[in-house]
Amino acid sequence: MSENEPIAPKENLSLLAVRSAIGGALMGLANLVPGISGGTMLLAAGVYRKFVGAVADVSTLRFSLASLLVLGTVVSAAGVALVVFAEPIVWAVVNYRWATYALFIGLTLGGAPLVWKLARPATTSMWIGVACGFVTITALALAQFAGVTGSGQTGFVMLFLAGLAGASAMILPGVSGGYLLLLLGQYVPVLDTLARIGDAVEARDPVMALQEWSICVPFGAGLIVGVVGVSNLIKFLLRKYKKPTLGVLLGLLVGAVIGLWPFQQGVAPVVGDEYEGRVLTQLDIDEMEAVDYPVRFFTPSAMQVGGAIVLILVGFGITQAISLVGGEEEDPDDQNEG
């Protein structure tokens, strides 16, 4: 943070590290569950403002121990969670998607009281922000359920915008990066490029990897510009227009639950089905992981409904327990709250 807005007192660095580790771990787990934003979990864990502030500071070459601590801890914890829990989380999503989603609904909703605490007392501008955030994320969720995708045309501008979209999804709670790429029609080109780069790395063929520059360069440029731009923008908005900005974040957080409706299950596709912007061939189906199967809604049993309610309460309780590890402090600089 800047000199006028320290990220945390020096005596709270150990506490900040613990909370950043928890938030980073949840962020890593969220990235393993389709449709969940890592930013949502950081917000639910109460370290979102600190993470955004740290990214903004480091991106503008303003280094501090606290900023480096937050970034290093969040990224490291997310990486460890991805490695350690990838297999069990994927298994849970494939076999018990409704239960996994119910748990993440609870984890997500558990962040709402934390944001509300920061935003109170409520103002008209805050409620307008809530409405804007909720409507935006709801529209995205409904469009995703309806299978709306882009045209798939590539080009420097579209790939650059895809990078911006991916960066926004990393920072903004409730926003699915994969779906934003689908809306822009860039999901398949980017995914195919990453797969070919992975093959090149495995084959230790740098020339093969460099052949993907036409997609990697504009997408990577958009990603970098997006991370720097969005994080600095949110930091500015939180300082200058705290109430409406927190309202938007609260709306995004609550609206994210719509995309996590638990009673859906993966269904194996057949040749000729259209999925994520492409018509599937047998080779596509053979290479598709079960966790990526298209989902269909189903009518739950009474036991599943009861189990989902219990898991939502468990997830909510976990987030509330995390908040006890030092709650978010009120921002001393509440100028121009709107």
Side-chain angles (χ1 to χ4, degrees):
M1 293 287 186
S2 64
E3 293 180 1
N4 295 327
E5 189 184 9
I7 194 169
K10 291 183 178 180
E11 61 269 17
N12 290 334
L13 287 180
S14 58
L15 184 61
L16 179 61
V18 171
R19 299 179 66 232
S20 298
I22 294 173
L26 289 175
M27 181 182 185
L29 294 178
N31 288 328
L32 294 169
V33 180
I36 301 182
S37 163
T40 301
M41 292 295 99
L42 289 178
L43 191 57
V47 293
Y48 180 79
R49 290 195 308 163
K50 292 181 172 60
F51 178 75
V52 168
V55 173
D57 284 348
V58 171
S59 67
T60 52
L61 303 181
R62 290 179 294 179
F63 301 103
S64 70
L65 177 60
S67 295
L68 295 175
L69 176 67
V70 169
L71 282 181
T73 304
V74 168
V75 172
S76 299
V80 170
L82 283 169
V83 172
V84 174
F85 295 105
E87 187 172 342
I89 289 292
V90 169
W91 177 88
V93 170
V94 170
N95 295 281
Y96 299 99
R97 186 183 295 262
W98 67 269
T100 308
Y101 276 25
L103 180 62
F104 271 91
I105 285 175
L107 290 170
T108 300
L109 288 178
L114 301 177
V115 183
W116 172 256
K117 181 179 179 181
L118 290 171
R120 67 184 184 189
T123 62
T124 301
S125 63
M126 190 211 76
W127 288 118
I128 292 175
V130 170
C132 291
F134 184 83
V135 169
T136 299
I137 203 65
T138 299
L140 282 174
L142 294 178
Q144 186 171 6
F145 287 147
V148 177
T149 60
S151 63
Q153 296 180 348
T154 58
F156 186 93
V157 174
M158 288 302 299
L159 288 167
F160 182 81
L161 291 176
L164 288 176
S168 299
M170 292 171 60
I171 303 295
L172 293 173
V175 179
S176 169
Y179 183 61
L180 287 182
L181 292 181
L182 276 175
L183 284 178
L184 292 171
Q186 304 304 305
Y187 184 90
V188 173
V190 170
L191 207 63
D192 286 346
T193 296
L194 292 176
R196 288 192 292 269
I197 291 176
D199 291 340
V201 171
E202 186 175 349
R204 298 181 180 179
D205 187 346
V207 175
M208 179 181 174
L210 289 174
Q211 290 176 347
E212 305 300 327
W213 71 269
S214 62
I215 289 181
C216 290
V217 170
F219 181 79
L223 197 65
I224 294 171
V225 171
V227 168
V228 173
V230 173
S231 58
N232 279 281
L233 176 62
I234 292 180
K235 179 183 175 182
F236 169 79
L237 292 175
L238 283 171
R239 292 187 62 189
K240 296 291 185 179
Y241 307 101
K242 180 182 175 185
K243 295 286 188 179
T245 304
L246 286 173
V248 171
L249 293 177
L250 182 58
L252 291 174
L253 187 68
V254 176
V257 172
I258 296 175
L260 291 174
W261 177 254
F263 304 118
Q264 49 183 303
Q265 59 188 358
V267 178
V270 298
V271 175
D273 284 352
E274 185 173 341
Y275 178 64
E276 294 182 340
R278 77 171 92 192
V279 177
L280 296 177
T281 65
Q282 187 60 52
L283 180 60
D284 293 327
I285 295 173
D286 292 340
E287 294 179 346
M288 186 180 294
E289 300 288 341
V291 71
D292 295 322
Y293 284 172
V295 297
R296 300 288 184 271
F297 296 106
F298 67 91
T299 302
S301 66
M303 182 174 295
Q304 287 173 323
V305 172
I309 292 174
V310 170
L311 287 169
I312 289 172
L313 293 175
V314 169
F316 188 90
I318 290 174
T319 309
Q320 291 304 296
I322 293 172
S323 70
L324 296 178
V325 188
E328 280 276 301
E329 296 180 355
E330 289 293 336
D331 197 336
D333 189 8
D334 282 342
Q335 54 184 316
N336 198 10
E337 290 181 355

